[in-house]
């Protein structure tokens, strides 16, 4: 349940980012958030419109020849350029790496943008929450976390620490999923502040925090207990659970 | 990787990414056509008949507007013969008359005889409308790829297939 079957190469930043990006809608939609696809749909509409114009141009050019159609072709080229410019504006100016827009039952609007810097395995999230009662005012939450917090060393995506990270940092997600909220100070010890701690210690602290929520069967727990170092046990549990 | 294709919006987006690469290339080509007023503003030299000016594989840029002056003797032009769809690059060597009705005779620099043999049956000269452009610039050799592609058509299929596959599968 906790770790995905699929593996990604842990040194491939696009793989890490795409897998994580894909996990956010799955998680939030499972929490009664209603996803809005407007941004994507507008982008797709513009793209297919541009492609349609191009296809029409190709067809009449092929059927009727260049001379007979050159004024239409000129118009089509101009139109195509405009739509492509609009599309570029939409992607860079409006979408801005937005990976999720949704509203919860109370009407609070959440929009999430994600980014990474080239060859730095840290996931940057900008989460904008617009609460319904707050008179249209919106809050912005910025989170930057290393991917290793929710990918094990084999490249499996581990759901729980990721969901905890979101639920603990973003109020509306935490309210929708109180089980995943962990004390930032305690969890943050592993996650945010000191990078001096080893991966194993972080896993342990994370798993200790989530033990209430994690479904851990007794066999795995026994395995963990019998293994010599607590670190190995933690990792193995993460993999099996 | 393939799981991205299970989400219809992802799949549609991946597909149109490839579509937009193709359509943008096509529209740039058409834009150039419209600007140069030529159905084929870039051509590749297929024969050695214009050596030493142009070699096989040279890429030629054409301009088909007579803004300041008419096409005149000495210009290198590309023309289509009625009934044949291979454009020919040769030099104008004779001109009788003016305007669109002017009669033009062409010859390859490296050929012994003029082009009357190459023209359609019963045609002894070219008219302005047969010409699809005068050569204004060229890049040596880079067109050789297209000669390879047209002489080995299966390469086209392979290249297009590979491009499509890459565009659909990668998300970087």
């Amino acid at each position: 349940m906790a770790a995905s079957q699929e593996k990604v190469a842990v040194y491939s930043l696009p793989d890490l980012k795409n897998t994580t990006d894909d996990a956010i809608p799955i998680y939030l939609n499972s929490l009664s958030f209603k996803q809005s696809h407007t941004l994507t749909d507008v982008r797709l509409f513009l793209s297919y419109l541009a492609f349609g114009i191009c296809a029409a141009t190709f067809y009449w050019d092929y059927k009727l020849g260049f001379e007979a159609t050159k004024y239409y072709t000129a118009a089509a080229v101009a139109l195509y350029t405009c739509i492509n410019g609009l599309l570029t504006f939409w992607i860079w100016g409006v979408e801005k790496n937005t990976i999720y827009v949704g509203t919860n039952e109370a009407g609070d609007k959440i929009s999430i943008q994600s980014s990474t810097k080239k060859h730095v395995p840290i996931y940057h999230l900008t989460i904008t929450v617009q609460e319904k009662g707050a008179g249209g005012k919106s809050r912005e939450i910025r989170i930057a976390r290393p991917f290793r917090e929710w990918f094990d060393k084999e490249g499996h995506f581990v759901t729980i620490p990721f969901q905890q990270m979101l639920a603990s940092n973003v109020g509306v997600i935490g309210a929708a999923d109180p089980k995943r909220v962990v004390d930032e100070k305690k969890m943050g010890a592993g996650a945010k502040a000191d990078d001096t701690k080893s991966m194993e210690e972080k896993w342990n602290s994370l798993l200790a925090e989530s033990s209430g929520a994690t479904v851990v069967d007794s066999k795995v727990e026994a395995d963990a207990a019998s293994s010599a170092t607590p670190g190995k046990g933690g990792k193995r549990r993460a993999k099996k659970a | 990787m393939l799981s991205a294709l299970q989400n219809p919006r992802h799949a549609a987006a991946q597909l149109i990414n490839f579509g937009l690469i193709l359509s943008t290339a096509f529209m740039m080509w058409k834009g150039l056509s419209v600007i140069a007023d030529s159905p084929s503003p870039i051509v590749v030299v297929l024969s050695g008949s214009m050596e030493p000016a142009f070699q096989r594989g040279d890429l030629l840029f054409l301009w088909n507007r007579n803004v300041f002056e008419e096409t005149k003797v000495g210009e290198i032009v590309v023309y289509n013969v009625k009934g044949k769809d291979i454009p020919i690059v040769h030099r104008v060597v004779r001109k009788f008359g003016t305007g669109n009705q002017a009669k033009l005779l062409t010859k390859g620099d490296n050929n012994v005889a003029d082009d009357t043999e190459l023209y359609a049956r019963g045609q002894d000269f070219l008219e302005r409308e047969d010409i699809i452009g005068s050569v204004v610039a060229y890049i040596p050799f880079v067109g050789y790829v297209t000669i390879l592609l047209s002489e080995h058509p299966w390469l086209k299929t392979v290249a297009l297939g590979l491009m499509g596959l890459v565009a659909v599968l990668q998300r970087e």
Side-chain angles (χ1 to χ4, degrees):
Chain A
M1 178 209 119
S4 66
Q5 291 298 304
E6 258 185 82
K7 284 201 295 186
V8 299
V10 287
Y11 296 102
S12 162
L13 203 48
D15 279 352
L16 294 174
K17 180 173 183 290
N18 289 332
T19 310
T20 312
D21 284 351
D22 291 348
I24 286 181
I26 294 172
Y27 175 49
L28 294 185
N29 290 343
S30 76
L31 298 178
S32 77
F33 276 91
K34 204 169 171 325
Q35 188 172 2
S36 151
H37 292 289
T38 318
L39 288 174
T40 317
D41 287 347
V42 170
R43 171 162 53 84
L44 286 176
F45 173 74
L46 288 175
S47 311
Y48 278 89
L49 185 66
F51 186 78
I53 289 168
C54 175
T57 311
F58 180 82
Y59 178 76
W60 74 53
D61 184 73
Y62 181 78
K63 273 279 172 199
L64 304 169
F66 177 77
E67 278 301 319
T69 60
K70 64 184 177 189
Y71 297 108
Y72 298 100
T73 305
V77 169
L79 193 63
Y80 184 87
T81 313
C82 289
I83 293 175
N84 237 347
L86 202 62
L87 185 64
T88 312
F89 168 75
W90 190 263
I91 290 169
W92 293 104
V94 181
E95 272 196 320
K96 288 182 192 156
N97 303 320
T98 300
I99 49 165
Y100 186 88
V101 178
T103 26
N104 67 6
E105 279 159 346
D108 306 327
K109 195 177 163 201
I110 184 169
S111 108
I112 302 178
Q113 296 161 302
S114 77
S115 64
T116 52
K117 293 198 175 73
K118 214 169 186 183
H119 306 310
V120 181
I122 291 178
Y123 193 52
H124 295 267
L125 282 177
T126 306
I127 301 162
T128 314
V129 181
Q130 198 170 358
E131 275 165 29
K132 204 182 180 197
K137 254 198 273 176
S138 60
R139 273 181 311 119
E140 208 176 73
I141 303 160
R142 283 172 193 278
I143 308 174
R145 292 295 170 85
F147 282 106
R148 56 161 190 248
E149 284 177 18
W150 55 85
F151 280 96
D152 64 17
K153 69 171 181 182
E154 318 252 286
H156 298 285
F157 181 84
V158 188
T159 322
I160 289 167
F162 180 67
Q163 297 184 346
Q164 283 174 338
M165 184 272 285
L166 284 176
S168 319
N169 284 292
V170 186
V172 286
I173 301 178
D177 193 12
K179 278 188 305 180
R180 288 283 186 266
V181 180
V182 290
D183 188 348
E184 256 302 285
K185 298 229 167 55
K186 274 193 262 171
M187 182 187 140
K192 210 191 330 194
D194 34 309
D195 278 64
T196 49
K197 274 194 173 183
S198 72
M199 188 70 198
E200 280 81 0
E201 282 171 302
K202 281 177 197 169
W203 270 117
N204 279 344
S205 68
L206 282 174
L207 287 162
E209 285 298 330
S210 64
S211 57
T214 329
V215 186
V216 184
D217 59 89
S218 54
K219 187 177 168 294
V220 180
E221 215 145 35
D223 277 355
S226 66
S227 89
T229 60
K232 272 186 189 157
K235 248 192 299 187
R236 199 182 311 170
R237 195 197 299 176
K239 220 186 296 168
K240 282 192 185 173
Chain B
M1 213 157 60
L2 283 170
S3 66
L5 299 182
Q6 284 158 13
N7 179 330
R9 279 190 176 82
H10 276 177
Q14 299 285 85
L15 199 67
I16 201 61
N17 277 350
F18 179 52
L20 282 181
I21 293 171
L22 288 184
S23 65
T24 303
F26 179 73
M27 286 317 244
M28 281 165 78
W29 169 254
K30 278 294 149 201
L32 202 60
S33 291
V34 167
I35 291 169
D37 196 23
S38 165
S40 177
I42 299 174
V43 294
V44 174
V45 179
L46 297 175
S47 78
S49 64
M50 277 303 282
E51 282 180 24
F54 300 128
Q55 317 267 321
R56 225 163 103 81
D58 289 359
L59 201 67
L60 308 181
F61 295 87
L62 306 185
W63 184 256
N64 196 29
R65 292 180 188 275
N66 293 115
V67 184
F68 298 114
E69 53 186 349
E70 287 183 17
T71 309
K72 56 189 185 301
V73 171
E75 253 178 67
I76 299 169
V77 298
V78 177
Y79 64 89
N80 273 321
V81 176
K82 291 179 191 77
K84 298 185 194 167
D85 54 355
I86 299 168
I88 299 172
V89 193
H90 280 171
R91 198 185 294 274
V92 178
V93 292
R94 295 274 192 285
K95 181 179 179 186
F96 297 100
T98 52
N100 287 337
Q101 270 68 50
K103 297 169 179 165
L104 303 165
L105 180 68
T106 52
K107 177 182 173 298
D109 287 359
N110 200 26
N111 289 357
V112 181
D114 62 36
D115 289 353
T116 31
E117 286 293 308
L118 293 174
Y119 298 158
R121 189 175 290 273
Q123 187 185 13
D124 294 323
F125 54 85
L126 295 178
E127 287 185 340
R128 181 63 186 83
E129 60 171 24
D130 295 320
I131 291 171
I132 63 170
S134 308
V135 178
V136 288
Y138 83 109
I139 305 175
F141 198 69
V142 292
Y144 219 91
V145 179
T146 63
I147 294 185
L148 279 182
L149 287 178
S150 60
E151 282 175 3
H152 308 278
W154 58 271
L155 279 173
K156 272 186 212 168
T157 322
V158 171
L160 202 67
L162 280 178
M163 271 168 60
L165 206 64
V166 167
V168 169
L169 292 184
Q170 83 164 6
R171 279 180 74 189
E172 300 206 10

